[in-house]
Amino acid sequence: MHTTHLVSAIEVHDFGAETLRVGDLNADGAPDLLFVQSVYGTREITCLTATTIDGQVIWQHGAPDRGNGSLYSDLPVQIYDWDGDGRTEVLYVRQAEYAEPYLWGGYARERAYRYEGQAALVVLDGTTGREKHRLPLPAPADDCLLFADLTGRGRAQDLVVKDRYWNAWGISHEGKELWHYAGSVGHFPAYGDVDDDGCDEVFFGYALIDHDGTVLFRRDDGGEHQDAAYAARLPDGTWRLLFGNGGIHCLQPDGRELWHHPLKEAQHVVVGRFRPDLGPLQVMAIDRGQPRVANGRDPASLYLYDLDGRQVWQELQPEGSSLAGAVALDWSGYGERREVLVYNRGGTGESTPPVPPQPAAIYDGHGRIVDTVRPAYPTTRGEAAERSQVYAIRADVWGDSREEVLFSGSQGASIWANARPLALPTLYNQTLYPGM
């Protein structure tokens, strides 16, 4: 039997995008998709397109453009029930004017010497795409946004926003600036109620910030930034704070480093119970194989570590996997994430001879590939064309209590599900006269 099922291959016309968000937008109780276009190198969001999981357009905000489908970095857009009315909103950051932009590498608009005006958090009605309201934000705060509970509401209704690498702000639900942190903030923070006081702390890799902005610890960043952060709570209530930069680091909440592995580029770090026989949690990381060597880059690898930092196994990836990413998912229906999807395997042209794109691989906790899937986009003839170098996320959009793999790129999107029957407990003591 086929072990995977193509749920949908979506024709994106001119609204295709590498950034995809998932949530119920049309209020029918089923998940929908949000395609996010931006001007490459700027994080300036130009078009939002809401569709069902089979590609039917619900609404569009902004003007679609085939040239704006590729992303340079994470984008400040999320789907969330912001006002608590039971229906989702779409929230995104509208940039301030970059009056005197600083161009990194001569093209990437990562910050400005001078801004004019403020940035704004724009809140759209999830069912129509119409603007409901907006909140002012600090002018540089347009890199990404995170919902957290900074004010003890019992629900994540406050914001953490940041610029590219240098500053972050805590913003209340009403738009009040709660705190500002200047330091190495990395790509995307992690959060959790680490001190059990009813409010969330924010972990930037080199620093842990209390809900009120107090710096609980700060480590020397050595001129680096974190590429991935994870805050994991153990069954005994203690926490581990993990992040990747060149290598992978595991810290206690007081900032003491428990272990460290000096990899080349640990861009993705995920935590899960991949091997229950090895303890409550384990850590997987992708080393993307930088810096360059004579024939391109060192080979990429997927690693599994136990919670004490002992390496359990290493799985080498195909040559040309320098853009490989890792996403933990519940593919088999365990009720917890015990597998990891590794995508963008091969096909970058950075190996000699070049290696063609390889299927994305789903690994179990023993390092075995249990399934492979490829991005499949419809062509004008109605066929499915394979593409490479896309982004992948996970979500249960098929409704079978397992998570599916969602690929998204400028040329299309596709959703793959596990086609095996879901393992369920055996029924017994059955009767035509139920009364128990």
Side-chain angles (χ1 to χ4, degrees), residues 227-230 242-250 259-272 274 282-289 299-306 309-317 321 324-328 339-343 363-365 367:
D227 286 319
Y230 205 108
L242 297 110
F243 74 98
N245 55 2
I248 179 173
H249 306 258
C250 180
W259 52 266
H260 166 226
H261 287 284
L263 306 177
K264 297 292 177 59
E265 187 194 10
Q267 185 85 17
H268 292 225
V269 177
V270 294
V271 178
F274 308 112
Q282 297 82 44
V283 181
M284 280 201 195
I286 280 280
D287 179 6
R288 303 212 301 186
S301 284
L302 176 68
Y303 291 89
L304 177 71
Y305 302 99
D306 69 15
R310 290 185 289 265
Q311 181 180 317
V312 180
W313 49 255
Q314 172 188 3
E315 288 297 325
L316 198 66
Q317 300 301 300
S321 296
V327 179
E339 293 106 348
V340 166
L341 172 80
V342 180
Y343 62 96
Y363 285 87
D364 67 11

Side-chain angles (χ1 to χ4, degrees), residues 16-38:
E18 293 175 345
T19 297
L20 185 69
R21 303 287 191 246
V22 179
D24 180 11
L25 294 171
N26 59 9
D28 66 352
D32 302 302
L33 307 179
L34 183 72
F35 294 85
V36 185
Q37 290 189 331
S38 64

Side-chain angles (χ1 to χ4, degrees), residues 86 128 164 177 252 256 279 312 393:
T128 65
R164 186 70 177 133
E177 183 176 316
Q252 289 191 150
R256 183 170 70 90
V312 180
I393 60 175

Side-chain angles (χ1 to χ4, degrees), residues 305-383:
Y305 302 99
D306 69 15
L307 205 55
D308 294 321
R310 290 185 289 265
Q311 181 180 317
V312 180
W313 49 255
Q314 172 188 3
E315 288 297 325
L316 198 66
Q317 300 301 300
E319 292 286 343
S321 296
S322 60
L323 297 179
V327 179
L329 78 162
D330 182 8
W331 180 252
S332 298
Y334 290 110
E336 59 186 5
R337 289 167 182 146
R338 291 196 190 178
E339 293 106 348
V340 166
L341 172 80
V342 180
Y343 62 96
N344 284 349
R345 303 168 71 239
T348 61
E350 293 182 339
S351 57
T352 304
V355 175
Q358 305 297 305
I362 298 172
Y363 285 87
D364 67 11
H366 295 272
R368 300 173 299 211
I369 296 178
V370 297
D371 273 316
T372 60
V373 286
R374 287 183 182 270
Y377 304 156
T379 66
T380 55
R381 295 173 299 184
E383 301 168 347

Side-chain angles (χ1 to χ4, degrees), residues 7-211:
V7 175
S8 65
I10 298 173
E11 173 60 67
V12 294
H13 305 288
D14 54 358
F15 62 80
E18 293 175 345
T19 297
L20 185 69
R21 303 287 191 246
V22 179
D24 180 11
L25 294 171
N26 59 9
D28 66 352
D32 302 302
L33 307 179
L34 183 72
F35 294 85
V36 185
Q37 290 189 331
S38 64
V39 178
Y40 187 81
T42 71
R43 305 183 307 283
E44 179 185 350
I45 294 173
T46 57
C47 184
L48 301 168
T49 303
T51 78
T52 61
I53 63 170
D54 59 6
Q56 180 182 350
V57 174
I58 302 170
W59 53 258
Q60 201 163 62
H61 180 83
D65 187 329
R66 290 181 183 272
N68 290 338
S70 298
L71 61 86
Y72 171 77
S73 64
D74 196 13
L75 295 175
V77 58
Q78 299 289 347
I79 301 173
Y80 190 59
D81 181 7
W82 174 244
D83 55 16
D85 67 351
R87 297 194 174 199
T88 59
E89 285 77 43
V90 170
L91 302 95
Y92 77 97
V93 174
R94 182 167 294 172
Q95 291 185 330
E97 181 182 350
Y98 279 57
E100 296 180 27
Y102 170 83
L103 299 181
W104 184 86
Y107 74 97
R109 196 179 71 186
E110 293 197 333
R111 67 194 306 185
Y113 295 110
R114 182 173 63 86
Y115 298 90
E116 289 186 357
Q118 292 179 301
L121 178 73
V122 180
V123 183
L124 305 180
D125 186 299
T127 59
T128 65
R130 299 191 190 97
E131 183 173 329
K132 296 178 70 172
H133 59 271
R134 63 177 62 189
L135 295 175
L137 296 175
D142 59 21
D143 183 75
C144 66
L145 62 94
L146 170 76
F147 303 116
D149 185 0
L150 303 177
T151 52
R153 302 169 191 264
R155 184 174 182 267
Q157 278 193 287
D158 306 308
L159 294 173
V160 177
V161 293
K162 57 183 279 295
D163 62 9
R164 186 70 177 133
Y165 291 122
W166 309 277
N167 299 274
W169 294 265
I171 307 293
S172 76
H173 185 79
E174 297 76 21
K176 176 185 177 182
E177 183 176 316
L178 301 172
W179 49 261
H180 168 227
Y181 172 73
S184 181
V185 294
H187 286 304
F188 196 83
Y191 75 101
D193 186 5
V194 176
D195 58 10
D196 200 27
D197 65 351
C199 299
D200 289 324
E201 284 68 55
V202 184
F203 176 54
F204 292 109
Y206 295 99
L208 179 66
I209 311 302
D210 208 348
H211 66 277

